[in-house]
Amino acid sequence: GAVVSQHPSRVICKSGTSVKIECRSLDFQATTMFWYRQFPKKSLMLMATSNEGSKATYEQGVEKDKFLINHASLTLSTLTVTSAHPEDSSFYICSASLAGVVGTQYFGPGTRLLVL
Amino acid sequence: KNEVEQSPQNLTAQEGEFITINCSYSVGISALHWLQQHPGGGIVSLFMLSSGKKKHGRLIATINIQEKHSSLHITASHPRDSAVYICAVSVENYGQNFVFGPGTRLSVLP
């Protein structure tokens, strides 16, 4: 149980295009989903926290107009990297919290984005 | 000073060795988590601890709340244990958010 999927697993795009990454909780309802970015050999950096049906809370320094987050249902959150640039190339990971269970996150497999 | 620290940063071991990774934290927590990240990037939750000790197969995790310290032990290590091990804490009154340690990169040689 508690499986989180991400799609796509890998994406290459041209500079200036937008890329959407989906995060789904497959067998549970997730009231809260988290989006992380990870640079090579570095730890996870929280970008934003999204709660179903409300606006995402972004961490300091993360541009909300650049990284659009939508959490329209209890099983799906999306991260859209708008007008992507090479510096946006990174590994993006989502996690989901089980509704009603404090202190637990289940992680997706991650999406590797390369912007040319 | 980071709120969650780990040691060592990097560790190379021979197959079969007993391995210990340490985590110390400086905040009040509701739980501590040990996570495993394989080279492909996916993260697996190994343990969630709020007290005492847990065991799962060859993995053992302990926590000392008074000393704000946790250890992850791997017995009879195997090359497939090679991964980055991340200590993360759920901070008291901080909702569902985790605070992550920097990770320990483990390589187990055959």
Side-chain angles (χ1 to χ4, degrees):
Chain A
V3 178
V4 176
S5 71
Q6 271 183 252
H7 179 80
S9 58
R10 187 183 297 265
V11 56
I12 301 172
C13 69
K14 291 183 179 179
S15 188
T17 60
S18 294
V19 175
K20 181 186 282 189
I21 302 169
E22 292 186 347
C23 176
R24 292 181 186 272
S25 56
L26 298 185
D27 50 3
F28 66 100
Q29 293 187 330
T31 49
T32 304
M33 287 186 170
F34 302 87
W35 286 96
Y36 298 92
R37 183 171 180 177
Q38 187 176 33
F39 293 101
K41 299 195 176 182
K42 298 292 184 184
S43 194
L44 298 165
M45 182 186 79
L46 180 65
M47 298 174 67
T49 303
S50 83
N51 292 296
E52 185 263 339
S54 61
K55 288 184 179 179
T57 301
Y58 290 81
E59 294 298 299
Q60 194 171 11
V62 177
E63 298 176 61
K64 59 182 180 183
D65 294 331
K66 172 77 172 175
F67 299 100
L68 299 178
I69 290 172
N70 183 279
H71 191 165
S73 78
L74 285 171
T75 60
L76 173 65
S77 177
T78 59
L79 167 68
T80 301
V81 183
T82 62
S83 187
H85 287 280
E87 58 264 30
D88 299 324
S89 299
S90 194
F91 190 62
Y92 293 88
I93 306 175
C94 73
S95 71
S97 285
L98 196 55
V101 179
V102 177
T104 301
Q105 290 185 32
Y106 298 95
F107 292 86
T111 296
R112 197 162 299 279
L113 170 64
L114 177 61
V115 184
L116 302 176
Chain B
K1 188 177 187 295
N2 293 332
E3 292 170 314
V4 181
E5 296 188 332
Q6 288 182 236
S7 64
Q9 282 188 315
N10 296 284
L11 180 58
T12 300
Q14 289 296 133
E15 184 173 356
E17 284 185 9
F18 180 83
I19 288 162
T20 296
I21 299 171
N22 296 299
C23 174
S24 60
Y25 53 93
S26 57
V27 293
I29 68 169
S30 56
L32 182 141
H33 309 263
W34 281 103
L35 311 171
Q36 181 192 54
Q37 185 172 31
H38 275 283
I43 293 176
V44 174
S45 178
L46 299 175
F47 294 103
M48 181 172 79
L49 293 163
S50 53
S51 65
K53 175 180 174 177
K54 287 189 176 180
K55 184 175 189 293
H56 186 254
R58 295 180 294 106
L59 302 178
I60 302 166
T62 63
I63 188 168
N64 184 317
I65 296 293
Q66 287 73 31
E67 294 186 3
K68 296 189 174 180
H69 181 269
S70 174
S71 293
L72 175 68
H73 305 286
I74 304 175
T75 61
S77 60
H78 190 276
R80 64 175 174 267
D81 297 327
S82 299
V84 176
Y85 292 84
I86 303 170
C87 173
V89 299
S90 299
V91 179
E92 283 177 337
N93 304 317
Y94 193 40
Q96 299 281 49
N97 293 39
F98 283 7
V99 177
F100 294 89
T104 294
R105 188 172 298 272
L106 171 66
S107 295
V108 182
L109 305 177

